[in-house]
Amino acid sequence: MLSVLVAGLLAGTGWLGFQAWQNDGDADDWAQARQSARQMGVNLLTLDSKTGQQDLDRIVTGSTGDLKDELGSQSKVFLDQLNKTKAKSTVTDVEAAVVSIDGDSAEVMVSLNGTVTNEKVKNGVTRAYRYLMQMTKVDDRWLVSQLEMVP
């Protein structure tokens, strides 16, 4: 009888330990997906005509799949426009929240303010931006696979 009780306690303790370990892994995924989406939001709106290629490379590096291909294929047009306008944008008030997460995919909402300046608009105009990002876990990194601006 005592051995059955001990076996039951060991099994229960093992199950609780596994649940705690699994929940800790889930919390890590939530935090990593949120941070990756937040960083992508910052990257999308931190642009400068002087560092355009580096800025674009950061954006492409944080993406995957069709989005990565699309960004890469539009890079010349993007850089030409950035250089033509001599634009610079900065970011403030960045917030991100995980909407849902399941295994290797997550949906994250990112909200931030961006201020764009150029030669004609020296002080810039600050605008609020919100992105809904579909995240995909690739080799232990959360990357943006779809990007949508939302009102």
Side-chain angles (χ1 to χ4, degrees):
M1 178 74 166
L2 182 61
S3 62
V4 171
L5 180 61
V6 169
L9 285 173
L10 286 174
T13 302
W15 182 81
L16 288 173
F18 174 76
Q19 288 298 314
W21 173 78
Q22 187 176 21
N23 287 341
D24 195 35
D26 290 348
D28 286 347
D29 274 344
W30 276 69
Q32 290 170 3
R34 181 186 162 277
Q35 178 56 34
S36 293
R38 184 186 187 285
Q39 186 62 54
M40 178 59 108
V42 170
N43 291 348
L44 285 167
L45 289 179
T46 304
L47 305 168
D48 190 325
S49 60
K50 296 176 185 171
T51 58
Q53 186 62 58
Q54 294 166 326
D55 298 341
L56 182 61
D57 290 347
R58 273 194 304 275
I59 294 168
V60 172
T61 298
S63 62
T64 189
D66 291 342
L67 178 61
K68 184 173 189 165
D69 294 342
E70 184 179 332
L71 291 169
S73 70
Q74 295 177 2
S75 63
K76 183 177 178 352
V77 173
F78 170 78
L79 291 172
D80 288 348
Q81 186 64 27
L82 190 61
N83 288 324
K84 179 181 173 184
T85 61
K86 303 279 189 252
K88 180 178 181 178
S89 62
T90 57
V91 175
T92 59
D93 304 322
V94 184
E95 297 291 335
V98 175
V99 176
S100 65
I101 192 165
D102 182 24
D104 291 344
S105 64
E107 185 175 61
V108 181
M109 178 71 73
V110 179
S111 172
L112 46 88
N113 292 329
T115 304
V116 179
T117 60
N118 60 37
E119 290 180 339
K120 293 180 181 179
V121 184
K122 302 284 185 199
N123 293 328
V125 176
T126 300
R127 293 197 176 138
Y129 295 87
R130 289 193 312 170
Y131 295 101
L132 184 59
M133 298 183 190
Q134 300 300 321
M135 309 294 291
T136 302
K137 193 172 186 182
V138 178
D139 298 329
D140 291 328
R141 289 184 61 220
W142 286 96
L143 303 173
V144 179
S145 53
Q146 292 180 345
L147 177 67
E148 175 185 352
M149 287 189 76
V150 293

